[in-house]
């Protein structure tokens, strides 16, 4: 159900620009949609992050996996169980760039003797790393279409990535890696029964959408050529806010662009917010200082208190008359 | 909002990075290069047309040149039959550059605009010999 629905949606998303080019709607596809999608992307992400920032987290809830700092003679793990801001930053860097907690992934199995065994399982981590880093490098590479003078970092990535190109064939290694990563992430959902059971249309849709972007890009790069100078002209005019639509770039380009627009516009509403959300996860971004420091509930309001001293002052005489013991012997 | 001191600077940095192309271009023009077809050789032609039509050449010239390279270097065939039946020698130097003798204003103008670095010029000189 989820798979079919997502595939149908992707087919529709491909058909829209394909028919749009026939209908002569290049301006809408090349200018209106990109601006709209990028605005939704930026505003949507800012809105979601501000919403998260407004939710109070009154208690320290880091999930830790190292020895907590206690006695001097017990060796603590300052990164996996951080007590300082620096430790939290190091932990976050590991998480953000190397997917530390996904690396902990393992498989549980009950052996024939009835014992529990935890089995080494790093394939999901590997596929995730391959996919995310390749996608990141591909995005960086695309900057050459948006800048008048390509920054050295972009050229550097491009040269490294194109290392396996030979003769006049250009070949970007990340194009292959991103497809391998995505393929694993999809096959895993389809093949492993437990993962398939928890997979919904939203999971498949994003995978198919990014696959659509990758395939249309690969197709455009290696097989159905589009006019690169025209593409750059359009991209630069969008960036300069003086949109010009060059003629005859080719419908493959508009399919690629429209799928990217769909991804950008969908991003803030989807599970893809796991990226920005990682930085705002209370289980990851808090130092484990539950008892080391005093943490005051942020929504505490001033409570009117009536201490025992005041009580005794008020009712002291009555209490004395009734023969009750008093703190203050007057 | 909680943790403003951390969240807002990080957000600001991310927005600046994401919009880098916009402010790096601020106030500068971004016009695509005009291809210079005004060489003496082209002016002398009776019919000013390339071996294939312009649209095909714009998007596919690299594929074509690659095919020429393989055919002429490895397979020894040297004649390209265009879609209109005319025959041309498969040679960058003798066919393409004989008309487009202005490499700087023809090949390089688009290549440097789109940051493409073809390795034609590792061996070929370009321009007049």
């Amino acid at each position: 159900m989820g798979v079919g629905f997502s595939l149908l949606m992707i087919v529709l998303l491909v058909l829209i620009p394909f028919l749009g080019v026939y209908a002569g709607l290049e301006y809408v596809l090349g200018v209106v949609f990109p601006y709209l999608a990028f605005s939704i992307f930026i505003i949507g992400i800012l809105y979601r992050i501000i919403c998260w920032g407004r939710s109070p987290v009154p208690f320290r809830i880091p999930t830790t996996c190292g020895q907590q700092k206690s006695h001097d003679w017990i060796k603590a793990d300052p990164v996996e169980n951080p007590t300082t801001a620096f430790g939290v930053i190091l932990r976050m860097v590991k998480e953000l760039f190397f997917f530390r907690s996904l690396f902990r992934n393992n498989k549980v199995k009950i052996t024939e003797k009835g014992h529990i065994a935890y089995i080494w399982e790093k394939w999901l981590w590997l596929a995730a790393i391959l996919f995310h880093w390749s996608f990141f490098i591909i995005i960086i590479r695309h900057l050459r279409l948006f800048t008048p003078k390509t920054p050295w970092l972009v050229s550097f990535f491009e040269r490294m990535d194109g290392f396996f190109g030979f003769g006049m064939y250009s070949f970007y290694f990340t194009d292959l890696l991103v497809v391998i990563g995505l393929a694993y992430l999809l096959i895993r959902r389809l093949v492993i029964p437990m993962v398939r059971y928890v997979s919904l249309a939203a999971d498949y849709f994003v995978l198919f959408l990014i696959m659509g972007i990758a395939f249309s890009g690969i197709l455009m790069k290696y097989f159905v050529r589009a006019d690169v100078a025209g593409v750059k002209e359009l991209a630069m005019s969008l960036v300069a806010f003086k949109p010009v639509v060059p003629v005859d770039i080719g419908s493959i380009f508009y399919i690629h662009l429209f799928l990217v627009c769909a991804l950008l516009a969908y991003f803030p509403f989807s599970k893809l917010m796991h990226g920005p959300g990682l930085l705002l996860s209370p289980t990851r971004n808090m130092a484990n200082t539950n008892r080391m420091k005093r943490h005051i509930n942020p929504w505490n309001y001033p409570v009117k208190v009536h201490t025992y001293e005041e009580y005794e002052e008020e009712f002291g005489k009555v209490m004395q008359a009734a023969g009750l013991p008093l703190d203050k012997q007057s | 909002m909680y943790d403003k001191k951390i969240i807002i600077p990080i957000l600001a940095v991310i927005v600046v990075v994401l919009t880098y192309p916009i402010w790096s271009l601020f106030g500068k023009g971004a016009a695509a290069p005009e291809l210079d077809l005004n060489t003496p050789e082209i002016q002398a032609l009776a019919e000013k047309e390339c071996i294939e039509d312009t649209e095909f050449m714009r998007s596919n010239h690299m594929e074509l040149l690659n095919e020429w390279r393989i055919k002429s270097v490895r397979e020894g065939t040297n004649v390209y039959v265009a879609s209109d039946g005319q025959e041309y020698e498969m040679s960058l130097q003798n066919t393409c550059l004989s008309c487009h003798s202005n490499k700087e204003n023809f090949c390089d103008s688009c290549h440097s605009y789109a940051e493409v670095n073809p390795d034609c010029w590792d061996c070929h000189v370009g321009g007049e010999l």
Side-chain angles (χ1 to χ4, degrees):
Chain A
M1 162 64 204
V3 187
F5 176 76
S6 311
L7 262 180
L8 188 71
M9 285 294 121
I10 298 300
V11 171
L12 283 179
L13 285 180
V14 172
L15 275 179
I16 291 170
F18 189 71
L19 297 175
V21 173
Y22 266 105
L25 295 172
E26 273 103 341
Y27 190 83
V28 179
L29 290 170
V31 178
V32 178
F33 282 143
Y35 276 141
L36 206 63
F38 198 68
S39 318
I40 295 174
F41 178 71
I42 295 261
I43 295 169
I45 286 185
L46 287 181
Y47 174 78
R48 291 286 306 260
I49 287 178
I50 289 167
C51 281
W52 283 330
R54 286 166 72 93
S55 352
V57 185
F59 199 66
R60 307 258 118 181
I61 50 168
T63 49
T64 57
C65 32
Q67 176 60 49
Q68 189 177 4
K69 187 171 152 62
S70 57
H71 294 293
D72 289 339
W73 45 270
I74 298 177
K75 199 183 168 214
D77 189 336
V79 177
E80 299 289 9
N81 197 335
T83 50
T84 59
F86 184 65
V88 171
I89 290 169
L90 283 183
R91 191 177 188 219
M92 201 52 109
V93 165
K94 267 171 122 180
E95 190 66 52
L96 207 54
F97 294 105
F98 308 110
F99 309 164
R100 180 70 181 106
S101 41
L102 195 57
F103 194 70
R104 287 181 193 289
N105 181 44
N106 50 23
K107 214 159 79 183
V108 184
K109 198 181 156 192
I110 295 173
T111 60
E112 284 162 20
K113 286 180 184 169
H115 300 306
I116 285 182
Y118 294 95
I119 299 165
W120 189 92
E121 212 284 293
K122 300 283 180 252
W123 300 114
L124 176 61
W125 173 83
L126 188 67
I129 281 277
L130 279 183
F131 163 66
H132 282 88
W133 275 102
S134 301
F135 202 23
F136 176 70
I137 292 170
I138 290 171
I139 290 168
I140 293 276
R141 252 181 25 214
H142 276 72
L143 267 179
R144 83 186 167 99
L145 298 170
F146 293 93
T147 47
K149 181 84 192 71
T150 310
W152 66 268
L153 191 70
V154 177
S155 313
F156 173 76
F157 272 119
E158 206 169 321
R159 271 202 305 278
M160 290 290 117
D161 198 1
F163 184 78
F164 293 100
F166 56 93
M168 286 204 30
Y169 296 101
S170 60
F171 170 71
Y172 289 123
F173 200 44
T174 49
D175 287 352
L176 179 67
L177 294 182
V178 83
V179 170
I180 293 175
L182 279 168
Y184 179 83
L185 294 177
L186 178 67
I187 290 168
R188 165 182 166 267
R189 283 195 186 278
L190 293 174
V191 167
I192 304 175
M194 282 87 92
V195 183
R196 188 174 180 141
Y197 185 73
V198 294
S199 297
L200 300 171
D203 302 310
Y204 294 115
F205 177 70
V206 194
L207 279 172
F208 286 139
L209 185 59
I210 299 176
M211 275 184 167
I213 292 170
F215 284 136
S216 58
I218 289 170
L219 214 58
M220 183 161 47
K221 174 80 195 161
Y222 304 106
F223 303 104
V224 190
R225 308 289 314 198
D227 176 15
V228 188
V231 171
K232 178 148 184 176
E233 195 182 350
L234 174 65
M236 294 287 282
S237 73
L238 288 178
V239 169
F241 294 108
K242 290 167 198 152
V244 182
V245 182
V247 282
D248 296 328
I249 302 185
S251 45
I252 181 79
F253 167 73
Y254 286 105
I255 291 173
H256 186 64
L257 182 66
F258 187 75
L259 291 179
V260 172
C261 289
L263 181 71
L264 284 179
Y266 179 58
F267 197 98
F269 307 98
S270 67
K271 61 181 281 194
L272 296 171
M273 284 300 285
H274 69 265
L278 185 68
L279 289 167
L280 282 148
S281 300
T283 51
R284 290 284 177 282
N285 68 10
M286 298 187 122
N288 187 15
T289 52
N290 272 314
R291 284 165 290 183
M292 227 173 273
K293 283 186 192 142
R294 183 176 170 157
H295 302 287
I296 292 164
N297 191 346
W299 65 73
N300 276 356
Y301 50 88
V303 179
K304 198 170 173 250
V305 287
H306 195 222
T307 60
Y308 183 69
E309 279 82 26
E310 288 164 353
Y311 178 85
E312 220 179 63
E313 231 162 70
E314 198 175 339
F315 299 107
K317 278 176 189 165
V318 189
M319 288 168 79
Q320 206 166 24
L324 290 169
L326 290 177
D327 279 1
K328 230 188 277 174
Q329 297 299 333
S330 54
Chain B
M1 202 164 126
Y2 302 93
D3 293 322
K4 273 186 210 158
K5 277 180 200 162
I6 304 168
I7 295 176
I8 289 177
I10 292 179
L11 274 185
V13 168
I14 288 171
V15 169
V16 166
V17 169
L18 275 180
T19 53
Y20 165 76
I22 295 175
W23 53 261
S24 76
L25 195 68
F26 195 74
K28 283 181 218 157
E34 285 281 321
L35 282 185
D36 184 11
L37 299 172
N38 187 20
T39 60
E41 292 83 357
I42 292 176
Q43 290 300 338
L45 285 176
E47 240 179 304
K48 292 184 181 57
E49 58 179 17
C50 202
I51 56 170
E52 299 284 348
D53 61 81
T54 314
E55 197 190 313
F56 176 85
M57 289 312 290
R58 262 185 169 264
S59 324
N60 294 296
H61 63 275
M62 61 301 269
E63 303 281 330
L64 187 79
L65 286 171
N66 206 20
E67 194 189 313
W68 283 17
R69 171 176 167 273
I70 293 166
K71 287 238 170 96
S72 59
V73 174
R74 297 189 190 151
E75 296 168 16
T77 47
N78 217 1
V79 179
Y80 175 70
V81 183
S83 50
D84 62 353
Q86 224 168 322
E87 291 185 353
Y88 297 95
E89 187 194 351
M90 287 183 177
S91 167
L92 175 69
Q93 200 73 45
N94 299 337
T95 307
C96 304
L97 295 172
S98 71
C99 289
H100 301 290
S101 55
N102 50 343
K103 172 179 170 279
E104 281 78 21
N105 295 324
F106 186 76
C107 306
D108 293 350
S109 67
C110 270
H111 288 164
S112 52
Y113 176 69
E115 278 285 326
V116 184
N117 302 307
D119 45 16
C120 310
W121 319 114
D122 290 0
C123 306
H124 290 276
V125 192
E128 283 173 51
L129 279 172

